[in-house]
Amino acid sequence: MILRKTIFWLHLVSGVFAGIVVLIMSVTGVALMYQKQITGWADKQQYKMQIPPGGAPLLVQALLEKYRAARPDVRPVSVSLSSDPEMPAAIVSGPNETTYVNPYTGEILGKGAEGVRTFFKAMTDWHRWLSLSGENRGIGRAVTGVCNFMYLMLVITGFYLWFPRKWKSGIFRGISWFRPGLSGRLRDSNWHYVFGFWCVVPLILIVLSGVVISYSWASNLVFRLSGSIPPARMGPGGRPGGGVPVSRLQGAPVDIQGLDNVLKTVQNNAADWQSINFQIPSSGDKALTFSVDKSLGGQPQMRSTITLDRLSGLVIKSEGFDNMDRGMRARLWMRFVHTGEYYGVLGQTIAGVASAAGVVLVWTGIALTFRRYCSWMKRRAQLA
């Protein structure tokens, strides 16, 4: 009983201190559930490209030549192509500088569905940094990291408190399913138990992976537990390092000769590709590396990188998820299980539902705490 009481108060105090931040992260988590799909759909709706007879897009060299003729003052850095015939090609020219072009004509279309991107950027900023900017982002990240860690304690201690001390079918049904006709404290308690029970597994995965994303020591621990050496630092998307700086690429002269033949080899080696991304080569580049994704994004087990000799077009190296060491595979799994994307649309849906359950858990938890406080104040007044 002493242990249970201690865990109860740990659960309650953690909820009081972290509740509002957890509520914000849960609400924004629901909003970000289908970010990639909604953004892609919005781009299609905005541009509605006319596919010409035959449906063959421009070769990438011709596409880049048209882009450079339209924007001679800009050095393109990378290109992203989609296998979807209705999707525009994306050309990056700097940090947060992405321009979408018609892959059939080379016409510059714009920056995509900016309203949708602005919304998701706002949701992401709230989710990661509580919408703080500049130097204050470090504060926001620290707060969300601590509250995410407390959320993990809430989920674990909550499951312990939910666990029946005596297994009886009536007791189990009462705390694992909705009971009609309840109101006030009994209704809040019932909802708190039910949502917590059915979403405990995805919530543990989401929150635990959030801790790994928030803290370098937790990320390094994943590598060490997997028997791997942690990388010096993690780059965007959960990958090691940060790639070639965009500023350095911007200063290098563009040389696109031979790019069509090399790209064709890549496409032939990955017939079911969904997207291909590559950095635009400079004159001194003898090898070119292409990132191939066979999913809609967010599934690292369906990504690969193919490096080719620029002159001969021969494949030098092809690496995928299975070629990575166990530590990197585990770290990437942690990164994308946080959003559910690792398991595709079904995983995203489960993660979104679990985030929605988190909203209910915080709301009912705060309500139960407030009711408990009011009852305590009332007893004090009666004793006075």
Side-chain angles (χ1 to χ4, degrees):
M1 290 299 295
I2 294 175
L3 175 62
R4 191 176 185 86
K5 191 172 182 179
T6 302
I7 291 177
F8 168 78
W9 281 105
L10 177 64
H11 184 83
L12 187 147
V13 171
S14 297
V16 168
F17 280 97
I20 298 301
V21 175
V22 170
L23 182 64
I24 291 171
M25 291 192 293
S26 298
V27 170
T28 53
V30 175
L32 292 166
M33 179 168 39
Y34 298 124
Q35 178 182 1
K36 286 185 173 67
Q37 289 89 341
I38 293 174
T39 303
W41 173 85
D43 287 340
K44 281 186 182 182
Q45 294 302 306
Q46 177 161 326
Y47 296 128
K48 294 183 179 178
M49 291 177 296
Q50 296 296 321
I51 302 175
L58 292 172
L59 295 178
V60 71
Q61 286 180 215
L63 186 70
L64 286 171
E65 285 170 356
K66 286 181 175 291
Y67 176 85
R68 294 177 67 195
R71 303 187 66 184
D73 57 327
V74 175
R75 197 285 195 194
V77 173
S78 67
V79 177
S80 181
L81 303 175
S82 173
S83 63
D84 186 339
E86 296 183 351
M87 284 296 293
I91 299 179
V92 175
S93 58
N96 302 317
E97 287 293 330
T98 301
T99 302
Y100 292 87
V101 300
N102 189 318
Y104 304 101
T105 65
E107 175 193 0
I108 292 179
L109 301 173
K111 296 183 179 295
E114 294 190 64
V116 173
R117 285 180 168 79
T118 299
F119 170 77
F120 282 125
K121 182 181 183 303
M123 292 298 99
T124 301
D125 288 348
W126 275 103
H127 190 79
R128 294 179 178 175
W129 306 294
L130 301 179
S131 198
L132 297 175
S133 59
E135 296 180 356
N136 293 326
R137 275 195 172 180
I139 299 173
R141 184 179 179 86
V143 172
T144 56
V146 169
C147 289
N148 195 72
F149 194 84
M150 296 177 76
Y151 193 11
L152 180 61
M153 289 195 298
L154 280 167
V155 175
I156 295 173
T157 56
F159 183 74
Y160 174 84
L161 295 170
W162 172 92
F163 205 83
R165 281 172 281 185
K166 293 183 179 180
W167 280 95
K168 294 182 180 179
S169 60
I171 294 176
F172 181 79
R173 285 197 303 270
I175 58 178
S176 62
W177 198 246
F178 299 105
R179 296 164 60 190
L182 299 179
S183 61
R185 182 183 64 82
L186 292 176
R187 178 203 58 213
D188 294 339
S189 181
N190 177 238
W191 287 14
H192 201 73
Y193 275 122
V194 172
F195 279 95
F197 168 70
W198 288 107
C199 294
V200 63
V201 173
L203 278 176
I204 286 178
L205 291 177
I206 291 169
V207 180
L208 180 61
S209 58
V211 172
V212 171
I213 293 170
S214 297
Y215 295 104
S216 58
W217 62 263
S219 177
N220 292 340
L221 182 61
V222 171
F223 282 94
R224 293 192 177 99
L225 290 176
S226 302
S228 303
I229 299 174
R233 71 187 189 92
M234 297 297 294
R239 294 184 179 275
V244 180
V246 171
S247 58
R248 199 176 111 199
L249 289 170
Q250 285 174 319
V254 171
D255 182 3
I256 61 175
Q257 295 303 312
L259 191 54
D260 288 334
N261 292 332
V262 178
L263 179 59
K264 186 177 180 180
T265 302
V266 173
Q267 292 171 332
N268 291 337
N269 276 271
D272 53 349
W273 64 276
Q274 294 290 324
S275 65
I276 295 177
N277 182 277
F278 58 93
Q279 291 177 346
I280 298 172
S282 303
S283 55
D285 295 334
K286 296 181 179 179
L288 304 179
T289 300
F290 296 78
S291 298
V292 180
D293 198 333
K294 297 182 179 180
S295 71
L296 295 177
Q299 293 184 271
Q301 74 276 25
M302 299 184 73
R303 293 179 184 171
S304 61
T305 58
I306 302 176
T307 304
L308 301 94
D309 181 271
R310 184 172 181 177
L311 295 177
S312 65
L314 296 176
V315 176
I316 299 173
K317 182 170 57 175
S318 179
E319 294 180 309
F321 189 75
D322 293 337
N323 301 119
M324 299 178 182
D325 63 47
R326 287 183 297 175
M328 182 53 65
R329 292 200 301 268
R331 180 60 179 82
L332 284 172
W333 180 80
M334 282 284 187
R335 163 62 183 87
F336 291 104
V337 82
H338 184 72
T339 58
E341 292 174 288
Y342 188 91
Y343 298 104
V345 176
L346 177 60
Q348 290 175 264
T349 304
I350 293 174
V353 170
S355 295
V359 175
V360 177
L361 289 170
V362 172
W363 183 262
T364 54
I366 291 174
L368 287 167
T369 302
F370 181 73
R371 294 179 195 280
R372 187 182 185 89
Y373 174 76
C374 290
S375 297
W376 177 72
M377 291 294 292
K378 187 176 181 180
R379 288 195 303 270
R380 284 195 63 185
Q382 289 174 348
L383 293 173

